[in-house]
Amino acid sequence: MTEMLLAIVLGAAFGATLDRIGATNPGYIIRMLNLTETHLMKTIFTGIGVASVLLFGGLLLGVVDPGHLSVKSAYAGVFIGGLLLGAGFAVAGYCPGTGLTALATGRKDALFFAIGGLCGAAAYMVSYEDFAGSAMLADIAGGKTTLGLIEGAGYPALFESLSGEILGIAVGVVFIAIGLLLPHRLTGKPRSIAAE
Amino acid sequence: MILSPRNGGILLGVVFFAAVLLVKPIGVSTQFVILDGMIWDLFAPEVVVVDETAKSGYASPNAYLDKSGGSYAKNVANPLNYSFVFVIAMMAGALVSALLRGGVGREERTMPAVWRANFGDSPAKRYAAVFVAGFIVLFGARLAGGCTSGHMMSGMMQTALSGYVFAAGAFLAAIPVALILFRKEA
């Protein structure tokens, strides 16, 4: 029952946050990807950085249970799937989470994204047998690997001699710095006027 | 109103941290599979069955729903689980936030201004493109084992190698595609 309450509170907080950072608006996502407005990119870098610093700080202080970590496997399909997701992400301006929240805010194109998404997930579901056991899904670099060794989490590390917690905080600080310092647009040209 | 990158980033980071502190990292794309499974199960009840020998207590003739000891099959059979309720609550939270800031304008509801500037204002064209994009996005997310929330945000925050691999793939495709498609600014 507590878990259901947490699902509702955390889910609602996440959805409201996505809306308030502009992620439910595909315009912000597209302008991030065509590099004309980095508002959302700066937000995402800052967000990952803040989460990382809090998480690894919390682990060092013993506030966070390392058992709550959940590291996913690295395999070739992660990269290929990333390429596919990226291409669709750019066309639509939606990813799975922002597509659903955009739909909730009343965007009709997001409904078509979600239906397309259900079909795409179903297509993977029925074709999974062909992928299972293939090199595409074979673990690389130990699979569920983190950069440094995280105490008590039980995951292999890329750099075993380095403290995963300290490395995590350092990476987090770098992400925050990128988030704060990135210029507001990355294409050099001034705002162009559409000409036919 | 839209938050500044600094304030929005702090809020986003705190939410992702709170999720790990209290339960587990945030992820969304798996729930598309769970909803697919629920719809499939409506028409073909044999797709999810109780199986005492399976680790989760459920099994499926579909290899994907059956993987990891039938854990997806179990969630299809019991949709009131944490991850599914989280996604429903996520949508409700976004709706409330959008209503509080005055909602989405009528023009914007069919397509974003930047799309209109580049491809005209045909809703059918936008809907068709977005349907195909949704298909590719979710197929890709399932192949990758996660999406922008699970791999990029949750993964990179844990310094997971898979998170960096995913983000590299996603942006390597997304930025060129967006640069080619969206040359005109709104």
Side-chain angles (χ1 to χ4, degrees):
Chain A
M1 208 51 237
T2 318
E3 210 181 59
M4 280 303 108
L5 198 65
L6 285 171
I8 291 166
V9 172
L10 290 168
F14 181 48
T17 301
L18 285 179
D19 186 63
R20 287 308 158 115
I21 62 173
T24 61
N25 181 341
Y28 275 92
I29 291 178
I30 289 169
R31 294 195 297 275
M32 161 175 83
L33 296 174
N34 76 0
L35 310 176
T36 56
E37 183 192 66
T38 57
H39 189 106
L40 195 54
M41 198 185 291
K42 287 164 71 70
T43 306
I44 293 170
F45 268 113
T46 309
I48 296 174
V50 166
S52 220
V53 168
L54 291 173
L55 171 64
F56 288 106
L59 284 166
L60 278 180
L61 295 172
V63 184
V64 176
D65 177 356
H68 282 201
L69 294 189
S70 176
V71 172
K72 294 171 187 281
S73 291
Y75 49 87
V78 173
F79 186 72
I80 312 284
L83 288 173
L84 289 172
L85 180 138
F89 186 40
V91 172
Y94 295 128
C95 59
T98 60
L100 291 178
T101 47
L103 167 59
T105 67
R107 289 183 183 269
K108 285 182 240 164
D109 56 348
L111 176 64
F112 291 86
F113 177 83
I115 296 169
L118 285 171
C119 295
Y124 186 73
M125 200 192 297
V126 296
S127 57
Y128 173 73
E129 255 178 317
D130 303 326
F131 289 106
S134 71
M136 182 90 110
L137 301 189
D139 282 352
I140 52 171
K144 300 184 175 189
T145 303
T146 55
L147 293 186
L149 200 64
I150 304 166
E151 205 65 49
Y155 295 116
L158 216 50
F159 308 105
E160 279 186 10
S161 52
L162 294 178
S163 154
E165 292 87 343
I166 303 291
L167 203 55
I169 291 175
V171 169
V173 170
V174 171
F175 270 69
I176 293 170
I178 295 172
L180 296 179
L181 299 175
L182 209 62
H184 289 284
R185 56 182 299 156
L186 294 171
T187 45
K189 56 178 184 183
R191 205 172 164 82
S192 63
I193 290 127
E196 285 298 343
Chain B
M1 273 317 291
I2 302 302
L3 294 169
S4 70
R6 191 195 62 186
N7 291 346
I10 292 171
L11 184 62
L12 189 64
V14 167
V15 170
F16 270 87
F17 169 68
V20 181
L21 175 70
L22 299 169
V23 190
K24 63 174 186 175
I26 289 174
V28 176
S29 70
T30 308
Q31 303 318 309
F32 279 79
V33 173
I34 303 305
L35 183 56
D36 274 333
M38 284 158 59
I39 295 168
W40 193 3
D41 191 53
L42 278 181
F43 297 99
E46 68 277 7
V47 85
V48 171
V49 291
V50 175
D51 181 353
E52 317 258 287
T53 62
K55 200 172 125 200
S56 70
Y58 291 86
S60 173
N62 176 264
Y64 197 54
L65 291 177
D66 198 46
K67 88 184 180 87
S68 314
S71 62
Y72 289 166
K74 182 187 175 184
N75 288 337
V76 169
N78 306 283
L80 276 181
N81 62 74
Y82 175 83
S83 300
F84 197 74
V85 171
F86 179 94
V87 169
I88 304 290
M90 172 188 85
M91 294 176 73
L95 170 63
V96 171
S97 167
L99 290 176
L100 289 176
R101 66 179 165 80
V104 177
R106 217 168 136 253
E107 289 259 287
E108 271 286 303
R109 266 182 245 162
T110 46
M111 66 190 86
V114 65
W115 176 278
R116 199 171 265 117
N118 285 277
F119 297 105
D121 59 5
S122 157
K125 196 168 160 187
R126 169 67 179 165
Y127 296 161
V130 163
F131 173 86
V132 174
F135 187 102
I136 297 169
V137 165
L138 263 299
F139 189 91
R142 290 335 298 156
L143 174 59
C147 61
T148 326
S149 338
H151 265 313
M152 202 182 294
M153 290 290 307
S154 297
M156 288 173 85
M157 108 190 198
Q158 297 176 92
T159 68
L161 175 64
S162 55
Y164 296 101
V165 171
F166 176 83
F171 284 109
L172 213 59
I175 290 174
V177 169
L179 285 172
I180 293 164
L181 288 181
F182 302 101
R183 289 170 188 271
K184 289 180 201 159
E185 296 182 33

